Amino acid sequence: MPHPTPLIGTIVAGLVVAFAAGAVAHRLRIPPIAGYLLAGVIVGPFTPGIVADTGLAMELAEIGVILLMFGVGLHFSLKDLLSVRAIAVPGAIAQISVATALGAGLGLAMGWPLMGSVIFGLALSVASTVVLLRALQAREIVQTERGRIAVGWLIVEDLAMVLALVLLPAIMAIQNGPPNAGAAQLLSSVALVVVKVLGFFAAMLLVGKRIIPWVLHWTAHTGSRELFRLAVLSIALGVAFGAAVVFDVSFALGAFFAGMILGETQLSRRAAEETLPLRDAFAVLFFVSVGMLFDPRVIVEHPLPVLATVAIILVGKSVAAYGIVRLFGHPAQTALTISVSLAQIGEFSFILAGLGISLGVLTGDARDLVLAGAIISILLNPLLFSLAVKPGREPSAAGPEPAPAAPSQTVLVGYGRVGRMVAARVRERGEKLTVIEDQRDMAELAEKDGVSVIVADATAPNVLERAGIEAASTLLIAIPEGVEAGVIVARARQINPRLRIIVRAHSDEEMQHLGQHGADQVVMGERETALRMAALAAVRKVG
């Protein structure tokens, strides 16, 4: 008997087709995002074959945005955010103004009404949270100054769009209402938005800062991993939903502040690890949902407007952002990072386009141009990043980026509990040691211990080379993730065939997997523990 299961069907179709298309993209050495977008087009309503539920896909994508922003917040602090306010606030406002003016000009040239043109311009002015953060994370620059500026800029854009979503209906009501009722209604709308946003900030800083860490610490002390994972997800999703319902701010902003408050606790690393699998899966669904909204016919039927829309997103916004950052005295590489980060549009753009249609000032053609601009800009954004943005260390206004770390005798991946003990023994022997660690708090701990550290994901391109793996004699992999360890082993073996590789594992399957990828020795913690306990028991029995 058939059962109507649109939710399950949407998830299955989205993930399965995204996996297939992403694998093909990876094989062709193009960004997997391109495959995910193509998967959305395949399962969308404008192509034959499987048709997933677009509305459900968009809601599932919001979960990806929430978890992604929560994860970024875990690695941020209020101090980090305030440190970039001098450039992020005026810069974002100026860039939004330029992009809105360019988009409005295009709309007026196409014969649209003024309000519709302004909404179209606003839709082209705001960058996608998911695309921007994925790009920064792929280049290992979220924790650098340019990464903090980009995220701060994004937060200001989010706040500006929240204000726009409230004010635009009020402005339209003023236009269509009595002539003397306008100013008071507009002022009351602005005041209401400001009060709600300030109320949200106050609630998070005064109440959330006490309750959220307490809840997580209590859950951690229960010893239940299931409860801890559930607590993290409840905090991320619950705060985001509450922020949207009670204070009318975006899901993304609510999740970011929840993560930022939790990031000040000692449990932030574990919280990030628990949300990572779901975060990646739902982020993929975000790109699938964007592809589902796209009607490929718009490129054929309206090529010149599509080209102009893409030019505003890729060129107009980027030039404006680059000029603003340079005016504030930042180096060219920082300006390039910010400008390329913003050279795309996403989730808020779709919301604004939908609002314009509901208010009767935008047509379906305008929405299709926004979607076409989003698809094309998201596809091109990874390419622009690879051409313009250097990964890793912070650029300096006084000169070029630092040279890679000097070759080390031993390279250690991971500075957690196991990694710290391994590092201590290696240093006791007087060997040179370089640590690769992708978590900022662990990297800072290694630096305090006097260890040379590269803050990066060891699976990312060129990271092992920066650690001097070509000339190293030993590679020690102390991270608990077997799949990532296998990637590191294979890459290191390819770079340095004479390298001695020792890695940890948690199961017989992982031991076999790592051995097949080129590990010389694999240490399974559970087996070593069992052997030691049995040996101690035997000694006691003999005694």
Side-chain angles (χ1 to χ4, degrees), residues 118-414:
V118 170
I119 293 175
F120 178 73
L122 279 172
L124 303 187
S125 70
V126 58
S128 164
T129 299
V130 178
V131 177
L132 186 147
L133 294 177
R134 288 281 288 258
L136 295 179
Q137 289 169 345
R139 308 299 291 179
E140 307 290 346
I141 53 178
V142 174
Q143 298 298 319
T144 63
E145 184 191 20
R146 46 187 168 149
R148 288 193 292 271
I149 292 173
V151 173
W153 200 299
L154 184 71
I155 295 299
V156 176
E157 284 192 349
D158 260 16
L159 290 172
M161 292 307 112
V162 169
L163 184 65
L165 290 172
V166 175
L167 292 184
L168 287 171
I171 293 171
M172 289 302 300
I174 292 168
Q175 278 191 347
N176 301 327
N180 298 325
Q185 185 176 353
L186 188 61
L187 286 174
S188 65
S189 297
V190 173
L192 182 62
V193 172
V194 171
V195 168
K196 286 185 174 182
V197 171
L198 292 177
F200 169 68
F201 289 161
M204 292 304 296
L205 295 175
L206 299 178
V207 180
K209 201 167 185 178
R210 300 172 187 272
I211 295 177
I212 291 175
W214 178 83
V215 169
L216 210 62
H217 277 286
W218 180 87
T219 308
H221 288 143
T222 65
S224 171
R225 185 170 184 177
E226 289 180 9
L227 275 180
F228 184 84
R229 184 181 292 121
L230 188 60
V232 173
L233 292 174
S234 298
I235 289 169
L237 298 174
V239 171
F241 185 77
V245 172
V246 178
F247 299 102
D248 287 330
V249 301
S250 66
F251 289 129
L253 190 63
F256 176 80
F257 271 87
M260 191 168 64
I261 287 173
L262 194 54
E264 297 178 2
T265 71
Q266 295 179 345
L267 295 169
S268 59
R269 177 188 175 96
R270 186 178 169 192
E273 291 173 350
E274 295 294 343
T275 58
L276 185 61
L278 275 178
R279 192 167 72 214
D280 287 345
F282 281 102
V284 167
L285 286 177
F286 165 78
F287 294 107
V288 173
S289 69
V290 174
M292 289 174 66
L293 295 172
F294 179 58
D295 185 354
R297 291 176 299 180
V298 70
I299 297 177
V300 178
E301 296 174 357
H302 305 287
L304 292 180
V306 168
L307 189 61
T309 301
V310 172
I312 291 172
I313 298 169
L314 297 184
V315 181
K317 288 174 63 178
S318 298
V319 170
Y322 183 90
I324 292 165
V325 176
R326 292 292 282 163
L327 281 175
F328 276 83
H330 289 272
Q333 185 58 215
T334 298
L336 278 173
T337 301
I338 306 305
S339 60
V340 173
S341 298
L342 301 171
Q344 38 81 17
I345 60 175
E347 51 272 22
F348 261 119
S349 306
F350 313 143
I351 296 172
L352 284 163
L355 176 64
I357 289 175
S358 67
L359 293 174
V361 295
L362 270 187
T363 64
D365 289 341
R367 180 194 58 197
D368 289 340
L369 286 180
V370 171
L371 290 171
I375 290 279
I376 296 170
S377 63
I378 290 173
L379 281 172
L380 293 178
N381 195 254
L383 175 62
L384 295 176
F385 250 94
S386 64
L387 292 175
V389 179
K390 297 178 182 178
R393 293 178 177 268
E394 193 67 55
S396 169
E401 295 209 7
S408 304
Q409 184 176 350
T410 300
V411 175
L412 170 64
V413 178

Side-chain angles (χ1 to χ4, degrees), residues 496-514:
N496 186 349
R498 299 181 302 277
L499 184 68
R500 185 184 180 205
I501 302 176
I502 304 171
V503 59
R504 66 183 286 198
H506 289 286
S507 66
D508 292 331
E509 291 78 8
E510 281 190 4
M511 292 184 70
Q512 183 179 2
H513 169 75
L514 293 166

Side-chain angles (χ1 to χ4, degrees), residues 5-27:
T5 54
L7 176 60
I8 296 175
T10 299
I11 295 175
V12 171
L15 292 180
V16 170
V17 179
F19 167 72
V24 171
H26 179 77
R27 189 72 176 174

Side-chain angles (χ1 to χ4, degrees), residues 432-453:
K432 294 180 181 179
L433 177 67
T434 295
V435 170
I436 302 174
E437 173 58 61
D438 64 346
Q439 297 291 328
R440 173 62 63 178
D441 53 347
M442 294 294 102
E444 290 176 352
L445 185 59
E447 289 173 348
K448 288 179 182 178
D449 292 341
V451 179
S452 175
V453 187

